[in-house]
Amino acid sequence: MTQSDYIKDIAEFGLKNDQKGLLSALNELVEHSKKTRKVNLALELQTIIKQAVNEQQGSGLVRIDSPQFFLREQNRALQDLVIEKLKSDYRLKHLVSSEYIEDELNFFIKEHQNIKKLQKIGLPISNKVLFYGPSGCGKTLASYVLSGELDKEMIVVNIGAIVSSKLGETSKNLGIIFKQAIQEECIIFIDEFDTIGKLRDYNQDHAEMKRVVNTILQLCDYLPQSSILIAATNQIKMIDDALLRRFDLKLNLELPNKEQIKELINKTIPSDQFIFDYPNKLDNIIENCVGASFYTIQNTLVKSIKRSLLLNEFTSEKSVRPLFIKINTKLWENMIQKEKIAGLNI
């Protein structure tokens, strides 16, 4: 089935008010999106589905003094502070990284898979991870991979909602997030961590920033080993030293080298569906990609595939789909060059 077929099914089930069929069709579209490398669409659909299910479960009248009432109020307080709560389907095989990064993530995963054995002999469990490095180099994806490998729900924090100009409000919001993570034994993911973890000697809002950093330090110290904090930043030098010391694992996700670029291309385009019109030029393009982020390389490649399709005869409804879809090599090369010249390496 194509994406349009799934959309037709969704429309049909929706108009018939068939919730079971609608949910099934949406889940099938999520799986189809993953297989066709439409990662963002898959994640957005997963979030929409889970939010809708949670809202249905929490609807209806409840007693004010009942456990359901307090749970609903707690969820309302949490809702504005969270972008999404999800269980990821991503695994290590989806991540392109160095052997060192892969090994470190593997050991972290094995620690938590064997948490009871390690705790039985009194060994501490690593549960705080910091990913740092340039934009577009897989920090968010690495977080989703840990969530998927550990089969743990992940709370993606809305950093814009967490930070407040009201005195003490930021610390209070952080407390709500950590409390939820402790109750559910899940993962907290905070992107742009430098926003709340700045050095305490910064001049601006010195007193309030010091309170926020102290709050995070305390929350980290009392975070149970069954819960996990994952933070990501492009500005590690801005983060307070005491906070940096709290992280058991600090991993630098760097710009891709030539081998990693080749691996990214192979993961992005199935070899049984796509070919380059001039394969002999691919090495030159990979050379030109050096210095660009994973995001820039993958984004321009996907764009070039779509534009290659739109520029050839396959756009006609009567045309027969070829055995292989040819990617316009020159088109992709020009996109990479434009991105690098414009300095949009994000």
Side-chain angles (χ1 to χ4, degrees), residues 7-23:
I7 292 171
K8 289 174 186 175
D9 285 346
I10 290 166
E12 181 180 350
F13 289 126
L15 291 170
K16 291 180 178 178
N17 200 25
D18 182 350
Q19 291 194 9
K20 186 176 179 181
L22 178 61
L23 187 60

Side-chain angles (χ1 to χ4, degrees), residues 1-10 25 28-29 32-34 36 38 41-42 45:
M1 288 177 67
T2 64
Q3 181 171 307
S4 60
D5 292 325
Y6 290 110
I7 292 171
K8 289 174 186 175
D9 285 346
I10 290 166
E28 287 176 6
L29 180 55
H32 174 76
S33 300
K34 289 175 186 174
T36 54
K38 295 173 182 174
L41 176 60
L45 286 172

Side-chain angles (χ1 to χ4, degrees), residues 84-101:
E84 59 184 348
K85 286 176 67 178
L86 56 86
K87 267 194 176 180
S88 171
D89 293 318
Y90 288 95
R91 299 292 184 268
L92 281 168
K93 66 181 181 180
H94 296 120
L95 186 67
V96 179
S97 63
S98 67
E99 187 176 343
Y100 170 75
I101 297 293

Side-chain angles (χ1 to χ4, degrees), residues 91-93 95 97-114 131 142 145-146 149-150 249 251:
R91 299 292 184 268
L92 281 168
K93 66 181 181 180
L95 186 67
S97 63
S98 67
E99 187 176 343
Y100 170 75
I101 297 293
E102 189 173 336
D103 286 344
E104 290 297 314
L105 292 176
N106 255 317
F107 279 116
F108 184 87
I109 291 163
K110 286 177 180 178
E111 269 195 56
H112 282 268
Q113 289 173 339
N114 296 276
F131 294 125
V145 166
L146 287 180
E149 290 284 355
L150 294 172
L249 186 61
L251 295 178

